[in-house]
Amino acid sequence: MKIRCVCGMIVPGEGVFMKEDKYLSKSYTDRVKGICAIMVVLHHLYLYGGLFAGTPVGTLLGLSGALAVSVFFFYSGYGLMLSSQKEGYIRGFFRSRFLPLYCFYVVCVLLYSLWTLWLEGTVPLGKLVLSFFFGDTIVANGWYLQATFVIYLIYLFSFSAFRTAKARILSVSVAVFVYSAICRFAGLGDWWYQTVPCFVFGMVYHTRKAQIDRLLKKCAWIIFIAGGLLYLIISTAVSILHVDPLFNWIHFVFFVCAVISFSYILSGTPIIDNAFFALCGRYSLESYVSHGLFVMLINYVFFGNTAIYVSTVIAGTVILSVILKMIYTRAIPCLFRAKRSRPV
């Protein structure tokens, strides 16, 4: 008889290990996020430091930033759809999720302001003001957090106003399109909105997970290969045909399909499920926002050697990520912790 372990107890089941329960679990997706965080850092080292410039690896690194962010948005959409099933989650979302992240972002704005003041002797006032709102930010790569705040507000409104999954997903889809159109016609870079539809894809995926799991069980490798090929074909086509950036997003969805199917295939193996990627995943947010501080140094300090520059960025990112993690998980939650009434 096949057995499986539940809460430390051995009970009858379908097997010791179930891929369907693993590949989108929080612990496993955190490891994939760790890989994506590494991709983002390498992407910016390529852009600003010339890491592997002029080589096929450099070409891949040039693409890796947007691809990694598309996965981040997918996991966010899936995770919020899943969390919405918890009793009281929507009601407490603004206080427990939105405000702590925004406070963390404010800390980053202040940190970047001091860093910029030290390097340049001045802080651009207009950019500093917009940093607290939307459209520009002094935080390197901070557009992602600003976009996330907008998506969070869309999510909160849609899930508070509607009760059915279809209505919620439809309202979020419409709002995401409106958001993308505003960004497009306001002249913001296409990175502000091209990968955001992957958030909606994550929501849809959650509602169809049982059916998709059955499909993955039968043909995960086919989905992986098809998703990768469709990404390559469509991304090449939209580049040649000069498709309007507003509609240049579907290839990111196919890339996410390839990533999810591949993570399903590798679930239960140490290729992804290992201590290193677990550590990277634990600090994925902090490394994302902190590495820009050290990437900026290339404009002010002559390193003379790419290896020294890369080592400086990595070492600085690791140290600062640990500090920011303590601020985000220990200091900031104290501001929103419910006050306990004193015993009479």
Side-chain angles (χ1 to χ4, degrees), residues 183-213:
C183 291
R184 166 71 176 86
F185 295 109
L188 297 179
D190 54 17
W191 57 88
W192 281 81
Y193 53 91
Q194 279 188 338
T195 56
V196 175
C198 292
F199 178 87
V200 179
F201 179 48
M203 296 176 65
V204 175
Y205 196 103
H206 176 268
T207 63
R208 296 290 182 266
K209 185 178 182 295
Q211 298 93 315
I212 296 172
D213 285 348

Side-chain angles (χ1 to χ4, degrees), residues 325-340:
K325 185 72 174 180
M326 290 189 290
I327 293 174
Y328 187 40
T329 61
R330 297 183 185 181
I332 291 177
C334 293
L335 300 175
F336 302 97
R337 192 168 295 159
K339 293 182 179 180
R340 298 178 180 177

Side-chain angles (χ1 to χ4, degrees), residues 284-305:
S284 59
L285 173 63
E286 292 79 13
S287 63
Y288 181 93
V289 297
S290 65
H291 77 276
L293 284 168
F294 304 98
V295 169
M296 290 168 60
L297 288 175
I298 196 69
N299 298 320
Y300 306 95
V301 180
F302 176 71
F303 286 90
N305 186 293

Side-chain angles (χ1 to χ4, degrees), residues 244-267:
D244 189 287
L246 186 59
F247 305 100
N248 187 6
W249 55 267
I250 193 168
H251 57 290
F252 290 112
V253 172
F254 283 116
F255 174 78
V256 169
C257 288
V259 170
I260 298 306
S261 58
F262 196 56
S263 65
Y264 174 88
I265 293 167
L266 294 180
S267 60

